Amino acid sequence: MNHHDILAATGLSEQELNGGTLAVFSPIDGAEIAKVKETAASEMPAVIAKSQAAFKAWRKLPAPRRGELVRILGEELRASKKELGALVTLEAGKIVSEGLGEVQEMIDICDFAVGLSRQLYGLTIASERPGHKMSETWHPMGPCGVISAFNFPVAVWSWNAALALVCGDPVIWKPSEKTPLTAIACMKIMDRAVKRFGADAPEGLVQLVIGGAEIGEALVASKDVPIISATGSTRMGGIVGPKVMARWGRPILELGGNNAMIVAPSADLDMAVRAIVFSAVGTAGQRCTSLRRLIAHHSIREELVERLAKAYASLPIGDPRQSTTLIGPLVDHGARDRMLAQIEKAKAEGGKVQGGRTVTTNVPQGGAYVEPALVEMPRQTDTVREETFAPILYVLGYDTLEEAIEIQNDVPQGLSSCIFTLNVREAETFLSAVGSDCGIANVNIGPSGAEIGGAFGGEKETGGGRESGSDAWKGYMRRQTSTVNYSSELPLAQGVKFDL
Amino acid sequence: MNHHDILAATGLSEQELNGGTLAVFSPIDGAEIAKVKETAASEMPAVIAKSQAAFKAWRKLPAPRRGELVRILGEELRASKKELGALVTLEAGKIVSEGLGEVQEMIDICDFAVGLSRQLYGLTIASERPGHKMSETWHPMGPCGVISAFNFPVAVWSWNAALALVCGDPVIWKPSEKTPLTAIACMKIMDRAVKRFGADAPEGLVQLVIGGAEIGEALVASKDVPIISATGSTRMGGIVGPKVMARWGRPILELGGNNAMIVAPSADLDMAVRAIVFSAVGTAGQRCTSLRRLIAHHSIREELVERLAKAYASLPIGDPRQSTTLIGPLVDHGARDRMLAQIEKAKAEGGKVQGGRTVTTNVPQGGAYVEPALVEMPRQTDTVREETFAPILYVLGYDTLEEAIEIQNDVPQGLSSCIFTLNVREAETFLSAVGSDCGIANVNIGPSGAEIGGAFGGEKETGGGRESGSDAWKGYMRRQTSTVNYSSELPLAQGVKFDL
Amino acid sequence: MNHHDILAATGLSEQELNGGTLAVFSPIDGAEIAKVKETAASEMPAVIAKSQAAFKAWRKLPAPRRGELVRILGEELRASKKELGALVTLEAGKIVSEGLGEVQEMIDICDFAVGLSRQLYGLTIASERPGHKMSETWHPMGPCGVISAFNFPVAVWSWNAALALVCGDPVIWKPSEKTPLTAIACMKIMDRAVKRFGADAPEGLVQLVIGGAEIGEALVASKDVPIISATGSTRMGGIVGPKVMARWGRPILELGGNNAMIVAPSADLDMAVRAIVFSAVGTAGQRCTSLRRLIAHHSIREELVERLAKAYASLPIGDPRQSTTLIGPLVDHGARDRMLAQIEKAKAEGGKVQGGRTVTTNVPQGGAYVEPALVEMPRQTDTVREETFAPILYVLGYDTLEEAIEIQNDVPQGLSSCIFTLNVREAETFLSAVGSDCGIANVNIGPSGAEIGGAFGGEKETGGGRESGSDAWKGYMRRQTSTVNYSSELPLAQGVKFDL
Amino acid sequence: MNHHDILAATGLSEQELNGGTLAVFSPIDGAEIAKVKETAASEMPAVIAKSQAAFKAWRKLPAPRRGELVRILGEELRASKKELGALVTLEAGKIVSEGLGEVQEMIDICDFAVGLSRQLYGLTIASERPGHKMSETWHPMGPCGVISAFNFPVAVWSWNAALALVCGDPVIWKPSEKTPLTAIACMKIMDRAVKRFGADAPEGLVQLVIGGAEIGEALVASKDVPIISATGSTRMGGIVGPKVMARWGRPILELGGNNAMIVAPSADLDMAVRAIVFSAVGTAGQRCTSLRRLIAHHSIREELVERLAKAYASLPIGDPRQSTTLIGPLVDHGARDRMLAQIEKAKAEGGKVQGGRTVTTNVPQGGAYVEPALVEMPRQTDTVREETFAPILYVLGYDTLEEAIEIQNDVPQGLSSCIFTLNVREAETFLSAVGSDCGIANVNIGPSGAEIGGAFGGEKETGGGRESGSDAWKGYMRRQTSTVNYSSELPLAQGVKFDL
């Protein structure tokens, strides 16, 4: 399908596509595909006020009823999966399978959140005082601002929105300036769900604001938006987090990763090679969980690099709309320039580079296509410690597992990590208190491609937030500890006496 | 017992008592009771490095073994309860029963933490991929800096230390400059526990640093202290939180409260009066959970104020060492001055004041003794919205429960709250999503005196942290989501296809 | 709709309707509506073997994938809600709204189970040994026999099937002999879901067996059916439970209730009357949670009985297919005879009866229509202690709450209970350790009509099983506690030494 | 120490030791060491009534206060560890280290239960109805009968008692007729704890009944003992379970095991040998978790048997009081005769036996000392499928892991199991849904020696009960699901309409 057909299939109106001034370009060929309307900074107070008003109504609705809206949203996403996936391809440059996979992730989180809507479990707790009952309950928190990035233009929003809605929180979404179209398309799907759901959904329950830093800043600064869930760069998060904290809000940060794989001598190399390639070059290396560092045991390092080089050489690079393509374009030329610059820095530090060149043949003109790069490094340098959002894989060697883990942990980020080994002791050591310091630690699968059932996120410069599964929903609610005295006595805790 | 006897009973050495330059005064009579050694700012890097080294060893010890140290600590605290309680009275000015109660709280949290040491439950989670196993595990996090306040000079430390130790984290404690002696006494008790525990406890596992802002700043700024648990004023927390966040640490903030009680028409007034008096004047109104605002239904407001005034008039104010005393001194003259100034401001806003005067007769000279103040306000003014760490109780009226809840929530703080009512509907509404917005919400007991089994803390300017019971221990650990692939296949999540 | 239209709408084939010898009668008019094929006892070994074979495959499928089948089942149930609800009306005699409500409950449990399919949480647990990892995982258990009763001909199956399927267990369903048609209709819906789901669902995953005691006995006796979930009479459960236990299976029993409501002086009587009427006469008193005993405070007893008598007199009794009807027929004439006999016994014990007569005018001929009965009793007699599956409400009086609770608990059954009171102390006492001994205890709602999010069941003669929400799913899985030693040492627990 | 000294150290009085007719023999030398008083069957109703009365009081005490009794019990056990351990050695014949280890287990469970006493967590659950609150609470259940076996004469009681007491349930203990002295000694320790605890502990909170089947039968049959926790043989459990079920009680069964170890080609054989020897011959093979079946890969089977034979030959057999002894006596001569007979049966089925002979030299005369037996079997025969409570280890071979797991699971029992392998895939497969069907499944540690933090028990003929850690405490409480309606409306679940 050409650009026009993809856009037409989504049902976006001419007004939505071309009613504004924010130019949208497709990474496929750099073509401008839309000019969308930006939210004016002056509109933000009204947006936030509307969200607060929606909160007053939405929090009263029983959670299972709120879940019903998310269930319907899941149905609508199923119905629009193909079209929305294609738009992800068009606007973010992902290959077809990944575009569809991203929508599938939205559907999965909706199913999960529907189940949650009858749980949101607090605790009843044994009280130390006779005739007293203690419990902990979770209540809606208020509007949740969602700041998302271009590389998962729709899934990250759905992770936050599905949970926030079930938890009783309205949503204000500020997508990346690079991907407003997928956001608009999601809002239309959401609107369909709301319409089917009926009058119980207050106006302004989910709102979209489009624009740049100023818009985001309005969310970050507002006391009326108690939760800010921000996904993106460490630089962005390093500004957002303290600001939200300073006005007593709750930041949920999903920031950079510098994800590594340790390949042990016992590893199944066939599997490792496949996992490495997918993790390192999938989404053109633009996932927060993309594999960026390969820490290979000296005994197998050489063979591994050889096999990788061969695999890399055979990867189909090109138009992401073609079903055979595995590597699409980078998001824009700036991203490519940063990649090339980083490779130069690595070379200067002793790196031996394979690939990493701009691709101009057999690819749509205008897009930023690159060969993925394999960079063998003499040691973990400053350049390696930086996250570059591009398909560069640094290769390092190690002798002992302890050393490998030290290398793995010796970066500022803490998102994802993995080990390939068939050895129980190595696998479990890697997962233990002295192992990987990342929020995600896998064995015999790559660092990317998390299931929605687990909590997603990590410590250090990754920001410490958790989203998606497990009890990540607690991030969207406030906790209330309560004790009810149903006796006629007033005993004090800890046996304190205070008799009038 | 006189000051000297109390100090002697604790076993503090002459060097510990008088080896430094930081003067310590007893609120009882303003007497200087010690001159303790301050930690030099230049020592902080070594302190932190020692803590990091201790972490490397401590995290490897099985948690139930770590729990054994905390169990022994509990035994030692039981053995020293009386002496430590008396020192709390001497240094913080608490009455005897409260001094002992605070130590009991330390003992309780130790018992609780011992049980936790065999739990620290993560999850095993159903994976969507065949031959895959997903789980979530909690690992030690690193050194935990504990910044505590004068009003709970030992309990707050124990809340943090018992949990942190069981969770695998060394502790660096910076107590209030006003209460270094109780901290030193605790360290001696801790040292005895460590000695009995044996060689498994690494050097520097629990360290004490004494001094002012500069010392605290060193903890707050260090990347090597991933957790900062700070208890104190909103002003302090407003500085600490963003700074810790900015260097990617995890703040656990327990800050101010502006705790209210709603008294409904159906309330058991006998119980309410007793609860109000204890909550408002206990610890001379210097608890973070002290009752500061009374929101009484118009139908019973007058009677209630009358009964309170009578009760207030009969309260024994004086030397906290005497078992009959219920109200001891404020921590110092500055606190009293702030109280008096606040009362003047309230008056200017229309407040009608009973009590609230300095007391100089029948009290030890040199201490800051005051009558607790009842201040009837025409409405919730700015002065009422501020937390004043003193026994001022503002009285407000209401007509409907909705209005009462609105008044209750309309302050910047979110710590504790309660309602006195015998009516199920009112009680449950108060506890519901449209009820109190505080972290603690009680029915028919006052806002203060939490049991250690529940999570303690609140949102808004209270800082959002949780300590003590429930799953507050998670704040001291890092979460790891891991997936182990034990098959020979490499399926991707969300059905993504990426075949080489 | 007449019988024929209802049957036609379900899509049951002539063979399904009339291919056998088991006559099915509609309670509406006693008409024979079908003659369905019974499962021969000799077929049971093959049925069970097929289920075991299905288990081998089904347990390997990831739980979220199993959940997808249940999600599709939920979709199919939504699509067939009206038709299936009407069939429930035809075959079980429920009024329209209840027939639809029952299907809604099926849909709800499917949504809930889909969420569960990504949870099924076990625990990771802190181990006392270095280099060891402890965890608890839940695994599929094997075929689950579901024995259900006529009064919830489809919902109970869905409660069990949705959970069992997600948990990895095939299902063999033996419905009541009185309601095979709704079972056949469910199987057709299930088959449609399986078809859409595809080849991952093994043959024999859900099987239906129709017939009498001999068929049930084959399930109960088979070691290859590890779980027997049986809903029905205490008499039945008293046979099934020990038999399953004796062959080392796991019984999940949901048996009789003798559910009471305490009405306190402070109760909102308007609400109480409505709740009593629905709970006592809804489903013609044939719910396991139907209200059977009213324990009213002496101060309001008379007024309450008067209001109930008036309400009872105005209840529309008749054809359950008519939207205005609130009381349909009893399941058959035997049920009516038992009701009438029980009323006579109650009279002999001093009961004063209102209503309770056979109704023959303005009702379809051939059905067993009765007036609901209000029976004021002088005390709780043996007759009151028995569960009679019919709309008899015994009224008892009380003076103190303690006495009321004693009456409430003094029956052999332990399913559901409630109190109507606006008093916090009474409400919480009723819910406390000294309150109701039932599995379900409500405040200001009747005993019937549980939400699927909570665990359903009770102790004593109710059988002790739990179904539906909370962690009832654990009843369908086996628990595995495992410790992995990834060290090179072999320490023993509890410090035992055993050195070769 | 000789018998007399051991007895003297426990402080048992002459009346306790020799006031009755039940002869107690030491397995060490068969000497009669006491004649204790048996409980008459006619006393049982009074015992049970006293327990019920105690329940009425105990259930009202806050759980953390109940936990305080268990904490004190732990202190008393610590103080009496040596003496009680020695008595275990004397009466049950365990070696010194195991006797002490058993007491340590008692101490551990006390610590754990103290923590639990502030948890006993139920849930708060999202309700589908506005103005409704749903929760699940756990309440005390009633008297708990504990039937324990000779091989863990004190630990099993403590597992049950510590949890039951914290959960609010009184305890009636019927120990093995072979080990009444350790039971009496425990009761004295318990009495000391109760005395220190004070008046809150009602009379009859923990009672001991001594005697045979008739006594046990009285517990099993009584409706006033809702929980029967029985540890022992499958034969016993097969009688107890159905009987308790038939009178609507709750059985917690911990019965036989037929525990296996799979040794894979990659196993660390040094570790495996040590683990096998301890698991198979520790406690003279009389643990319910003793290793009974060794399933070794053909490639290493021969070597393994050789090394085991050598290790077996060097094991010090003899007086368990000597610190060098590793194998003490069987409990009595009957046990030895059964062992020898079983070996003969195995021989007849093709078994090749090493060891397994009576030992008469260098051992105390009068005791039943045996060499542990290694029996290589051609296949898993009926004899192998039986549990023999003696140190017989059957050795079987396998080719594929699938085959090994099939052998492992193909016995009627389901308690404990393990695999020795360094291979991740094998380890995880063993722990997966298609792996071991036992309640306990370990990797690289033997089947015996569980930590108290996990749930202990298994399915099939092991009885299905769970004790000790995780949420095993729920077995001692009743679950209450409650919904509180605090609105003025009466909505029905599932949208049912029923308007008067």
Side-chain angles (χ1 to χ4, degrees), chain A residues 174-407:
Chain A
K174 187 212 158 299
S176 164
E177 291 169 81
K178 293 178 180 161
T179 54
L181 291 180
T182 41
I184 295 171
C186 281
M187 280 303 288
K188 290 180 82 92
I189 292 170
M190 185 81 229
D191 287 345
R192 284 201 292 275
V194 164
K195 197 166 174 191
R196 282 177 56 192
F197 180 71
D200 279 350
E203 206 198 344
L205 182 59
V206 180
Q207 296 179 82
L208 178 67
V209 292
I210 290 176
E214 210 181 356
I215 296 301
E217 173 60 28
L219 291 175
V220 166
S222 173
K223 283 216 169 204
D224 285 329
V225 185
I227 307 166
I228 296 292
S229 174
T231 302
S233 69
T234 287
R235 200 194 53 77
M236 177 275 291
I239 297 167
V240 166
K243 277 195 183 167
V244 173
M245 201 76 197
R247 52 94 170 160
W248 309 108
R250 186 189 294 169
I252 302 176
L253 303 179
E254 300 289 341
L255 311 174
N258 195 345
N259 318 293
M261 180 191 292
I262 297 172
V263 185
S266 70
D268 178 328
L269 282 194
D270 287 347
M271 278 175 67
V273 166
R274 278 189 292 141
I276 293 165
V277 174
F278 170 69
S279 312
V281 313
T283 323
Q286 298 173 112
R287 290 186 172 212
C288 47
T289 54
S290 286
L291 180 64
R292 310 207 176 284
R293 299 180 295 140
L294 186 64
I295 307 168
H297 192 264
H298 286 132
S299 65
I300 49 97
R301 177 179 169 172
E302 200 170 334
E303 180 191 348
L304 189 59
V305 170
E306 227 162 81
R307 293 177 63 171
L308 285 173
K310 199 186 280 180
Y312 267 45
S314 74
L315 288 168
I317 302 171
D319 190 326
R321 292 168 300 184
Q322 287 174 7
S323 64
T324 51
T325 298
L326 289 181
I327 306 188
L330 290 178
V331 67
D332 56 24
H333 293 275
R336 190 199 44 211
D337 295 346
R338 281 189 296 277
M339 173 178 172
L340 299 178
Q342 211 68 5
I343 289 174
E344 289 311 309
K345 279 173 60 184
K347 272 186 194 162
E349 290 165 351
K352 190 183 139 208
V353 180
Q354 302 187 55
R357 288 165 302 195
T358 299
V359 176
T360 52
T361 56
N362 293 319
V363 298
Q365 296 310 301
Y369 294 85
V370 292
E371 295 168 357
L374 266 178
V375 186
E376 291 179 85
M377 297 295 293
R379 67 184 190 290
Q380 186 155 273
T381 64
D382 285 351
T383 301
V384 177
R385 284 197 185 84
E386 261 179 70
E387 178 192 32
T388 306
F389 231 56
I392 306 175
L393 181 64
Y394 299 106
V395 184
L396 301 157
Y398 80 90
D399 275 320
T400 66
L401 181 60
E402 202 180 352
E403 185 194 352
I405 291 173
E406 206 178 307
I407 296 170

Side-chain angles (χ1 to χ4, degrees), chain B residues 171-194:
Chain B
V171 172
I172 306 173
W173 180 15
K174 188 213 159 297
S176 164
E177 291 172 79
K178 293 177 179 159
T179 54
L181 292 180
T182 41
I184 295 171
C186 282
M187 280 303 288
K188 290 181 83 90
I189 292 170
M190 185 82 228
D191 286 347
R192 284 201 291 277
V194 163

Side-chain angles (χ1 to χ4, degrees), chain C residues 91-109:
Chain C
E91 194 177 40
K94 294 192 173 188
I95 63 171
V96 171
S97 167
E98 289 181 345
L100 293 172
E102 186 166 352
V103 183
Q104 187 57 47
E105 203 164 334
M106 302 175 81
I107 293 168
D108 289 349
I109 196 75

